[in-house]
Amino acid sequence: MSDNHKTKSAASDLPELRIAYIGGGSLNWAVRLIGDLAAQNQAGGAGFAADLRLYDLDHAAAERNARLVGRYAAEGAPLRAEASRTLAGALQGADVVVVSILPGRFDDMAQDIAIPERYGVLQAVGDTVGPGGFVRALRAIPMIADIARPIEQYAPNAWVCNLTNPMSTLTGALYSAYPGIRAWGECHEVTKLRQIIAWLANRREGHLRWGFRDVTVNVLGINHFTFVSSASVGGIDMMPVYMEFARERLATGWRATPRDPADEHARYFEDENRVKFDLASRFGIAAAAGDRHLAEFLPQSWYLDRHEAFGFGLTPVDYRKRDQAAKRAQAEALDNGAPLAPAQRSEEALVDQLRALAGQGMHLSNANLPNRGQIPNLPQEAIVETNALFTGLGVQPVVAGALPDALAAVIAPHAMRQTALVAAVMEERWNDLFPLFVTDPLVAPLGTDRARAMYDEMLQATAAHLPEELVQGAA
Amino acid sequence: MSDNHKTKSAASDLPELRIAYIGGGSLNWAVRLIGDLAAQNQAGGAGFAADLRLYDLDHAAAERNARLVGRYAAEGAPLRAEASRTLAGALQGADVVVVSILPGRFDDMAQDIAIPERYGVLQAVGDTVGPGGFVRALRAIPMIADIARPIEQYAPNAWVCNLTNPMSTLTGALYSAYPGIRAWGECHEVTKLRQIIAWLANRREGHLRWGFRDVTVNVLGINHFTFVSSASVGGIDMMPVYMEFARERLATGWRATPRDPADEHARYFEDENRVKFDLASRFGIAAAAGDRHLAEFLPQSWYLDRHEAFGFGLTPVDYRKRDQAAKRAQAEALDNGAPLAPAQRSEEALVDQLRALAGQGMHLSNANLPNRGQIPNLPQEAIVETNALFTGLGVQPVVAGALPDALAAVIAPHAMRQTALVAAVMEERWNDLFPLFVTDPLVAPLGTDRARAMYDEMLQATAAHLPEELVQGAA
Amino acid sequence: MSDNHKTKSAASDLPELRIAYIGGGSLNWAVRLIGDLAAQNQAGGAGFAADLRLYDLDHAAAERNARLVGRYAAEGAPLRAEASRTLAGALQGADVVVVSILPGRFDDMAQDIAIPERYGVLQAVGDTVGPGGFVRALRAIPMIADIARPIEQYAPNAWVCNLTNPMSTLTGALYSAYPGIRAWGECHEVTKLRQIIAWLANRREGHLRWGFRDVTVNVLGINHFTFVSSASVGGIDMMPVYMEFARERLATGWRATPRDPADEHARYFEDENRVKFDLASRFGIAAAAGDRHLAEFLPQSWYLDRHEAFGFGLTPVDYRKRDQAAKRAQAEALDNGAPLAPAQRSEEALVDQLRALAGQGMHLSNANLPNRGQIPNLPQEAIVETNALFTGLGVQPVVAGALPDALAAVIAPHAMRQTALVAAVMEERWNDLFPLFVTDPLVAPLGTDRARAMYDEMLQATAAHLPEELVQGAA
Amino acid sequence: MSDNHKTKSAASDLPELRIAYIGGGSLNWAVRLIGDLAAQNQAGGAGFAADLRLYDLDHAAAERNARLVGRYAAEGAPLRAEASRTLAGALQGADVVVVSILPGRFDDMAQDIAIPERYGVLQAVGDTVGPGGFVRALRAIPMIADIARPIEQYAPNAWVCNLTNPMSTLTGALYSAYPGIRAWGECHEVTKLRQIIAWLANRREGHLRWGFRDVTVNVLGINHFTFVSSASVGGIDMMPVYMEFARERLATGWRATPRDPADEHARYFEDENRVKFDLASRFGIAAAAGDRHLAEFLPQSWYLDRHEAFGFGLTPVDYRKRDQAAKRAQAEALDNGAPLAPAQRSEEALVDQLRALAGQGMHLSNANLPNRGQIPNLPQEAIVETNALFTGLGVQPVVAGALPDALAAVIAPHAMRQTALVAAVMEERWNDLFPLFVTDPLVAPLGTDRARAMYDEMLQATAAHLPEELVQGAA
């Protein structure tokens, strides 16, 4: 740690990190993190203890999470937690801040998707780019700025992990509101490609030897539109193997296990890697994120219009609501005494990253950071996703090299609009927003007039979460 | 002049430039340049004498142009000319080289437009971006490189003016083939906006006082997709006046004089400025080039699909052929003794630029040059169009400042693809071409498969002008 | 003008600029500017009228200058002036702001030179770099910031000309205090080289034809350490002629006219160009500023230690005081009715620059501006001196190209320290100052301990003009 | 590995790297590397097998080294080696190339130091910067280029480790001769600071727990003039502890163990860290390299003039010769059957780096690489020293952040001169060399004339190793 906050855990000889967790009533990330913290000694190497300060607008949710921590602690995990009533209280003394908020309700998200759909614009996720990602950013940037400023005041040297989407713009908003912040944006999408490569490496050896964590990849791109230029397993260059496999499976796609037609979650969240394979053949570099995300950065005619043929679904917000209700029920059951399953390490990298920040070894994983040379053919200071090194010194980006030219020309305008969107919202230049909206490749084909009508309709639908001047301009 | 080639004209006390003119059998630029050279003393200030060395694959055309120079000289213009049988002969000892070639025949250009049209892709000009501009560049880049290399050998310090389209890629090709070249790309499109502003300035004063040369503008963008961020006439900031005018005329458009319905040239080459006015209202900055050019950089749905409503035509190559035949007949008549009209100064800036290079005053005009800081939010070294200063020291770019963010995100990928296209052709990386082709906004909506079919068809149609490996890859 | 403040003069048909003149009680620049304004129609081309608002801490001096303007106006010059009692009053409505202050008194300047001299550090001027320039900047940066902030408030779009030394740091301070400022730093030193070149051009032609204004030069460097990479007179490349001349006169030096031994001013302010000639032979590029200034950027052993042999003097502050007293007496005599000599155009470029800003033609001259590509091998955003273009659009830097490598390695650290000095003072990081001071090439050879003693002594001597915390740190 | 050369060792299940070792008759690095390869399994984690191809102008030395490898192999180390008669033969099929040559003989090095000494210029080492480092680079750059070109031909994808000094210029020369090379420069000097910090961490804990490999440091600078901005041991920020220690020991210096007055090696190669401590107090950042190296980048008055007071020696080349003779005798004894001591891991990082390149885990250590964003306030593409990450993907620089401003202004001109020196030699621009030589801070105080005399004398003394044109220019 670069400051001296870190102390030793009372209950153990381990270094202890104080972690402020902001949000997380979403039930998703918070519970997984708690499980990973409890399970962390499974990862091998020395671990760390954690003192969690949980802050959520829904204080009851924070308290429920604190009780969950307590149950793991009772079983010996080096954890403690308390729910904080104020943001300042949670931040004070924090070594690490985790930001995981929901920008607006699912009903807002539903409108982000439904309104464009009426204009003929399809979105598979709707939280990153395209009209949905744009309007979600409009709601979220001020919320994130309202978290960054107290971080500057109460925990200026803390390491700050953003888990909230849209990742690029919101990580950018953290840096815009507090330029000295030590923040990175964390996302697990690249895992998907690493799992395919691990499968290929195992096939090559004839037995199960490698997991995705054994696959070292060089990551380049922006969040949810990430690529991998080289991959190594046990010192073997796996890229030729992968590219050959992608060519072979271009027409059929591939999954590690067959899809269960009854599995609604799989239908909406999983894919057959056909977009990945197609992009690899187009641009000569492996695409890394999930197909639903990749598709949204490109003209609708490429993949979204043919999403069924390409084997991926458009996630309905309706399903998200049902899924959330189920998770809430689980959490409440757990809180009411349902038996606690043994902690199991998830596929998330956050706890590995925290352990390295606690000075227990190094960790390399992809992270979203301002571009300071990582990718020379994307704009400086745009938020890019490449490998970053986590050590006791903090988070440092690794120079990844250049993207293929044609791909850089696809990614750069997205990155430029993301940077400009953050700046326009932070500086309250409301009139500068529509030119950014209308030039997104999912919006541009509508023409300027229909795009404007759609934009105004979308702002009205989520007006409760937007500044008044912005909505009035749209009225 | 930075070298000492320049001598005094025998026939006058004026400094004399030796000018190698490469190409120009096109009858268009060469004749206009000769007229401007003859008329140049009308421009006020001291002039210069010119010793022209004309080189054309069609040697008879070069000889005809030399005879035309002779007629002006006989009337007292400080000019002399001879047709050179070799490129080396024309270049040896040149102070200035003018490159004005036709990359392929009009029949090739006709295919550049007709094939995409069958795929539903409309182009107004087809020589700059989009599928037509791309394939034209494939033909022309090697031709231009074959001119740049002898320039390095025979006239390494000469000032080189490229007049050939596609301007950005071909100026880039000159620098790629001979990095030490002192080249700029010259284009008159910005004149169109300056004329509107001069008209507005005259309206404001109530009488005819200003011409377009009195309008100082700050130019930013890439060739044929240029913008103007500020404009001054006699010290008055004309930008608010223009922006107000653009808003007023958004729906109706505007022309200085009504269009004659019988004027076929006007139908195909002129416009009503409605694209300019619309872009001004969208991006908050004045668009400067002709509407036909501006439209091709944007999604087809914006302007090309509605070109009639927006008041501009799609120029048929058929008309170009008829126009060329008429010009050739004129040239032949002149060559056969038809009376020579008095030389009149055209609207082109080239002779003004040459006079400044000859050390006779300064001249400021827009020019295409590698980006060395002129526009900070476009990629370094891409060929951009901004003001450049012409003096006895040469051509120096003027720092223009940043484009509005949303517009920069539209222009940057065009500039990135142009740079990459030149590099791929020069390095014979044929497989890297299609990814650049398919991501052009006029091509991308086709989807990758139909775009590939169109690409292959276009290459076959112009195969005679392309390297064999490239065409085979497309077969 | 980019705003619409400019109006027509009541007394004439000329465009009128409102000029706020801040400082100028120094009697030097203000009187020369007033004379140039009165004489400007001599320059040819259309002129402009001026409405001056004079502000000086010494209000009587401002009033005296206003009366001087009145006398010229009475003779028909299109000028008017009033002395303003407040800075805000002078700035309100200004089209142009001229900043010409004296940072501290001559007694402070005397210490800036005398103390280092006791440590064996010689300075010829002591106002730019070295220990004297550094401490002068410490005094002046906060004063300049106190002018920049009201400019942001009262005249945010005005063009701001800084005439105050140290030029690089103070122009940097204007941009640091108000990043949106439209400021340039104006200095006449390059004129010295242009005059030599004009003399050489006249010698070549055998008669007096050219003045220094006919010499177009490409300027590169930082203020007072400027170089010229190419020079053109009437289209002739004069650089080979100059370099040959510099070689010939390396040993003897050269002056246009012999030095009058009785001329004290000449003894202290003029030179024999031997430093210029020596630097040209060392680095292969012409040095442009006065020898006294050039010498201060280099190790003392190069020129300062041998200043008599090299034919230049170390200007005593004592002489400056006497000179100022003489000028004051002249000004008072004039104010008391002494006859007004006819206005004569001086060698300063400021009025030419203002005329261009008023929309009356273009003007090219060297100016100090943030590096935005002008010189690629000096740091971006450092204040550099290159040509800038003045037009109705404002002041725009011209891309000058790279310095020779070895020279860039001499200039870059000066530029880096200047940028860092401004930042440290503006952010009140007092401890970061000494590391910058001790690494200046005139200071470094002292060793760190003696340098520290000298630094502390210098701060104490001018403590009245410095922040208390800074001086305490030095106590 | 990014190519597929790597195979499995016949003798083991380990991945095997083929390593071409160029040079190494120096007896120093080669023997240490062989020992480290033999000892590598001591480091924990999986290891690798090595197939060495040894090439030396002194073929007998290469054969002797091959026999040494054979002895370790006979004891079970997974190694094999053969001496190659040609460079091409050694390179063909190499996964890794190690370059460790001696540029000239010790007699040349003796002159690099003795001649400047006669001019009053002291050097502690004379192989990095200053007159000695410059002339050594003149000898070595062409030699290194003659190795880089065959690497391009025979092993274009190999990882290339340069061990030869001057490190910055020679690593730059590798990239200049073959821009696609995958080279890094390896140096152990930063170890010295890490050992002090480990000692401090152990003192803090009260027992011996940490070694220098447990100290994670953020390295910034150029080779032999490196700094550390943060340091972590077991998650504890050690920088405040170190800075406090440096202040305390400013006057006395510090060594882990007392110096044995009889130990000649210690006298000439070790130090008391007083330069490190002094620089830390001056610039607010820890200096990392040995004091003898650090001193040579600064004015002679700072440390070299007072080297005895500062506790470090000026290494006589005479001692280097005796030391080499002793090492040669040892090597010959070993070759003649003297007993082989058990392989012990040295402090060098090279084998750890190779193991990571072989896909066996990650390794982080400082390396010399072109600046692609690692240090934003040093010039892009200059060779800088920061941390780099070694994995199965190769060597990737880690973004280190900015140097303190004043220090950047000291380092940047060194880096600029190094880059320019390489370019001038590679392009045979001999006249551009002296301006770079004369502006080095150890040379500049001589004045230009004496510096020129020294330069010419130094070139004559080593003329046998220099191009004829260069020496003639100096005659």
Side-chain angles (χ1 to χ4, degrees), chain B residues 1-4 6 216-218 230-232 234-237 358-359 362-364 372-373 389 391-393 396-400, chain C residues 1-4 6 216-218 230-232 234-237 358-359 362-364 372-373 389 391-393 396-400:
Chain B
M1 305 302 301
S2 53
D3 43 41
N4 272 321
K6 202 177 43 54
T216 308
V217 288
N218 189 47
S230 54
S232 170
I236 304 298
D237 174 12
M362 291 197 291
H363 181 76
L364 180 71
R372 286 167 185 169
L389 188 68
T391 70
L393 303 177
Q396 290 177 290
V398 175
V399 174
Chain C
M1 306 301 301
S2 53
D3 44 41
N4 273 321
K6 201 178 44 55
T216 307
V217 288
N218 188 48
S230 55
S232 170
I236 305 299
D237 174 12
M362 292 196 289
H363 182 75
L364 179 72
R372 287 168 184 168
L389 187 68
T391 69
L393 304 177
Q396 292 178 287
V398 174
V399 173

Side-chain angles (χ1 to χ4, degrees), chain A residues 238-248 280-281 283-286:
Chain A
M238 287 301 293
M239 200 41 77
V241 178
Y242 176 79
M243 293 304 276
E244 176 61 26
F245 184 68
R247 262 189 302 278
E248 278 168 22
S281 81
F283 293 103
I285 185 175

Side-chain angles (χ1 to χ4, degrees), chain C residues 430-431 452 455-456 459-460 467-475:
Chain C
W430 311 120
N431 289 333
R452 181 77 212 192
Y455 177 70
D456 290 346
L459 295 195
Q460 296 296 339
E468 213 168 310
E469 298 94 328
L470 169 53
V471 182
Q472 281 171 343

Side-chain angles (χ1 to χ4, degrees), chain D residues 98-403:
Chain D
V98 178
V99 181
S100 175
I101 64 170
L102 185 67
R105 298 147 308 140
F106 276 146
D107 285 343
D108 295 288
M109 192 179 185
Q111 292 297 316
D112 293 346
I113 290 171
I115 297 170
E117 201 177 338
R118 287 203 294 275
Y119 285 81
V121 177
L122 299 183
Q123 299 175 87
V125 190
D127 70 348
T128 307
V129 283
F134 194 94
V135 171
R136 187 184 183 92
L138 293 183
R139 285 195 298 268
I141 290 169
M143 299 179 195
I144 287 287
D146 285 346
I147 294 170
R149 283 180 287 249
I151 288 174
E152 181 170 15
Q153 193 177 350
Y154 297 107
N157 293 318
W159 294 103
V160 179
C161 176
N162 174 44
L163 296 170
T164 317
N165 282 330
M167 177 60 72
S168 306
T169 37
L170 299 189
T171 305
L174 287 171
Y175 278 91
S176 177
Y178 168 28
I181 203 166
R182 299 172 165 194
W184 80 100
E186 167 59 18
C187 174
H188 54 199
E189 285 286 319
V190 172
T191 304
K192 297 181 179 179
L193 180 70
R194 291 167 78 196
Q195 280 169 327
I196 303 177
I197 294 175
W199 185 89
L200 288 167
N202 289 328
R203 185 180 73 167
R204 190 176 182 277
E205 302 229 0
H207 61 105
L208 203 75
R209 178 175 175 192
W210 310 105
F212 78 89
R213 287 188 168 86
D214 301 310
V215 182
T216 307
V217 289
N218 189 46
V219 178
L220 308 97
I222 55 176
N223 184 248
H224 291 169
F225 201 51
T226 36
F227 294 81
V228 158
S229 63
S230 54
S232 169
V233 178
I236 304 298
D237 174 13
M238 288 301 293
M239 201 39 77
V241 178
Y242 176 79
M243 294 304 276
E244 175 61 25
F245 183 68
R247 263 189 302 277
E248 278 168 23
R249 298 303 183 100
L250 201 50
T252 60
W254 175 86
R255 291 172 50 87
T257 54
R259 179 134 62 179
D260 171 3
D263 180 346
E264 200 178 3
H265 191 274
R267 191 186 319 151
Y268 296 138
F269 286 92
E270 297 183 4
D271 59 52
E272 299 177 356
N273 299 302
R274 289 200 50 202
V275 174
K276 270 187 221 55
F277 297 159
D278 194 66
L279 284 171
S281 82
R282 296 294 166 204
F283 292 105
I285 184 173
D291 287 13
R292 292 150 60 246
H293 284 303
L294 295 168
E296 293 189 334
F297 290 82
L298 292 158
Q300 191 165 319
S301 57
W302 286 34
Y303 304 115
L304 285 166
D305 277 347
R306 298 186 283 161
H307 66 91
E308 294 194 3
F310 270 98
F312 67 92
L314 311 184
T315 314
V317 176
D318 170 65
Y319 174 75
R320 290 185 190 271
K321 289 184 193 169
R322 282 181 281 128
D323 185 51
Q324 191 189 36
K327 282 196 182 120
R328 191 182 310 273
Q330 274 185 308
E332 281 165 5
L334 213 54
D335 200 38
N336 292 326
L340 191 66
Q344 272 197 314
R345 191 185 184 193
S346 79
E347 293 182 352
E348 303 298 338
L350 179 54
V351 167
D352 297 331
Q353 295 168 345
L354 297 183
R355 188 170 44 238
L357 292 176
Q360 309 288 61
M362 292 196 290
H363 181 75
L364 179 72
S365 59
N366 52 306
N368 291 274
L369 287 165
N371 189 13
R372 288 170 181 165
Q374 294 96 295
I375 307 181
N377 55 354
L378 290 184
Q380 284 279 101
E381 296 300 322
I383 303 297
V384 296
E385 188 166 324
T386 66
N387 280 337
L389 188 67
F390 294 75
T391 69
L393 304 176
V395 187
Q396 291 178 288
V398 174
V399 173
L403 282 157

